[in-house]
Amino acid sequence: MKVLVTGGLGYIGSHICVKMLQKGIQPIILDNLSNANPEVLNRIAKITGIKPILYKGDVRDKMILLTIFSEHKISSVIHLAGFKAVGKSVKQPIEYYDNNVNSAIMLIHSMQKMGIKSLIFSSSSAVYGVPKQVPLTEASNIGLTTNPYGTSKYIVERILTDLYIAHDEWSITLLRYFNVIGAHQSSLIGEDSQGIPNNLIPYITQVAVGRYKEVMVFGKDYPTPDGTGIRDYIHVMDLASGHIAVLENVSQKSGQYIYNLGTGKGISVLEMIAAFEKASGKHIQYKIVNSRSGDIAECWSSPTKAYAELGWKAQYSVQDMVNHSWQWQSQNPNGYQSL
Ligand code: NAD
Ligand code: UD1
């Protein structure tokens, strides 16, 4: 089985490719390297013994899509390519809509032209906006998004829903990822964040390696047990397994499928810092600062639908996630540029 993985050189895509290769599924990667390093291919080869085929190009380029579809018999497409920084999306909304929405439209057009009707889309818990209640189920309200990034994911979900309404022979899966962290346990691949990290885990790891002095804890007066924000952190390899479960169970069956990929457990900022101290054996200094604008107290999933329908559930503990994030960061302090 050959699967086109757009954005396959990125953080999540590279881990999905490893899982696929270990399951005998062949990934064909399309990536424009806008947020990736080609060294990832060598790392995937080190882990799996197989170097995947890479097409260097943009998903918005129809010609490259048609070339790939005519050179390979693609059974399904996993569409990860896109921009993902929430803060940047507020400052550069048009770039975000262009990349995230136009790439999906171009991909669907090309798939239609070549008769490929199976698509798995990387959506986000961001589509739920400010949750009315937790845990979030797939039936919870969506659309009241709080930033252009979340809105771009919501728009693509709507486009794919309309596509399915018009063409119900398609298999369309919307995967809503929660907070993805961790790295492959070999420490050969992981999240290679550039610049000052906006997200909690990359920031804590940068403090642990000594690049920054302390973690800024955004708010301590939320209505949560320790007053800090609670999120559903999921190990990237569990997330990758979720994609395999989709490929094995529903990707060749027509239908529209929507799943949360989370653990169903909420972890606070202070609990995360404590887990990092344990993983790194270092004291992690932190300072309580004002809450971040747009942040919410709690966001965590109910992952029961994915278990009931796909037999998938997250396996890694919070300590595993943090240990693997730390091992990756400490062994590759400058990410893929460490070489
Ligand atoms: P990433 O930036 O590491 O990976 C995205 C990859 O897509 C990169 O390799 C980049 O070079 C490539 N890319 C971007 N635009 C492209 C284009 N137009 N054509 C070809 N390649 C392009 O991000 P990630 O963390 O691996 O996220 C993958 C997907 O999952 C994204 O769609 C993101 O929005 C979604 N997601 C991520 C998280 C998370 O916590 N990381 C959470 C929810 C959803
Ligand atoms: C953010 C995005 C979400 C996206 C996800 C990807 C927002 C509003 N949401 O989620 O759409 O899918 O990233 O991983 O940006 N925190 C600190 N100090 C820091 C950084 C974060 O205390 O330096 C806290 C936050 O207040 C929050 C928690 O840590 O309580 C997690 O934050 P973060 O990692 O940025 O993720 P989210 O905001 O949940």
Side-chain angles (χ1 to χ4, degrees):
M1 184 188 203
K2 282 188 186 180
V3 174
L4 172 63
V5 185
T6 74
L9 286 188
Y11 170 45
I12 296 172
S14 55
H15 290 79
I16 293 175
C17 288
V18 164
K19 266 275 173 218
M20 283 172 57
L21 287 162
Q22 288 169 340
K23 287 271 175 187
I25 303 168
Q26 189 184 343
I28 306 293
I29 298 174
L30 171 61
D31 201 299
N32 66 3
L33 298 177
S34 59
N35 195 31
N37 188 312
E39 168 60 15
V40 171
L41 278 184
N42 299 326
R43 304 288 182 99
I44 293 174
K46 258 193 195 160
I47 299 170
T48 64
I50 304 165
K51 195 167 180 170
I53 295 171
L54 166 69
Y55 286 82
K56 194 177 162 207
D58 199 293
V59 186
R60 289 163 294 183
D61 174 1
K62 202 169 183 172
M63 284 315 293
I64 197 159
L65 287 170
L66 296 179
T67 303
I68 295 170
F69 292 143
S70 49
E71 289 179 357
H72 302 275
K73 192 176 174 329
I74 299 290
S75 307
S76 196
V77 178
I78 301 179
H79 179 44
L80 296 128
F83 292 151
K84 62 167 179 177
V86 171
K88 217 169 171 185
S89 79
V90 176
K91 296 196 176 106
Q92 301 176 355
I94 304 311
E95 285 79 354
Y96 268 67
Y97 289 123
D98 179 25
N99 201 17
N100 293 2
V101 179
N102 280 342
S103 64
I105 291 175
M106 201 49 82
L107 178 63
I108 297 162
H109 260 309
S110 310
M111 290 173 72
Q112 275 183 316
K113 189 158 184 188
M114 301 303 277
I116 298 161
K117 295 177 179 172
S118 169
L119 178 60
I120 300 164
F121 173 59
S122 299
S123 189
S124 165
S125 59
V127 298
Y128 293 114
V130 179
K132 283 209 179 86
Q133 62 184 50
V134 280
L136 287 156
T137 74
E138 290 80 354
S140 298
N141 277 348
I142 59 166
L144 290 175
T145 47
T146 56
N147 51 69
Y149 166 72
T151 309
S152 73
K153 293 290 176 187
Y154 172 68
I155 292 171
V156 175
E157 284 206 5
R158 287 294 304 265
I159 290 170
L160 289 170
T161 301
D162 288 341
L163 172 69
Y164 180 70
I165 290 168
H167 302 284
D168 66 3
E169 71 280 14
W170 275 63
S171 170
I172 293 175
T173 306
L174 311 178
L175 295 179
R176 296 179 182 152
Y177 307 163
F178 281 68
N179 291 55
V180 189
I181 65 168
H184 189 263
Q185 59 186 26
S186 63
S187 300
L188 285 166
I189 54 173
E191 184 167 21
D192 186 10
S193 22
Q194 308 290 331
I196 302 171
N198 297 306
N199 296 115
L200 180 65
I201 303 312
Y203 204 96
I204 299 178
T205 53
Q206 298 289 326
V207 171
V209 293
R211 190 163 303 150
Y212 301 111
K213 189 171 140 241
E214 56 197 1
V215 180
M216 306 292 167
V217 174
F218 298 148
K220 205 180 176 303
D221 49 9
Y222 285 112
T224 60
D226 67 16
T228 65
I230 288 183
R231 296 290 183 274
D232 185 342
Y233 297 93
I234 175 168
H235 195 295
V236 64
M237 289 308 291
D238 275 332
L239 192 86
S241 303
H243 292 72
I244 303 297
V246 170
L247 286 173
E248 288 176 343
N249 290 284
V250 295
S251 74
Q252 301 308 312
K253 274 193 245 168
S254 56
Q256 191 190 21
Y257 308 95
I258 305 177
Y259 301 109
N260 284 338
L261 293 185
T263 63
K265 291 187 202 85
I267 308 291
S268 76
V269 176
L270 293 184
E271 285 172 327
M272 268 301 173
I273 293 176
F276 253 90
E277 288 192 320
K278 197 167 166 196
S280 63
K282 293 176 187 233
H283 171 64
I284 308 227
Q285 202 168 312
Y286 68 85
K287 182 163 107 183
I288 310 288
V289 298
N290 287 340
S291 57
R292 184 170 60 180
S293 147
D295 261 0
I296 47 182
E298 290 187 72
C299 176
W300 43 283
S301 71
S302 163
T304 52
K305 188 169 177 241
Y307 185 59
E309 295 184 11
L310 304 174
W312 171 88
K313 69 176 175 196
Q315 306 288 339
Y316 287 96
S317 68
V318 177
Q319 198 59 53
D320 291 331
M321 301 181 206
V322 168
N323 289 349
H324 294 160
S325 290
W326 169 245
Q327 283 158 18
W328 153 255
Q329 183 66 55
S330 52
Q331 289 175 37
N332 304 268
N334 299 308
Y336 295 109
Q337 283 157 18
S338 303
L339 294 169

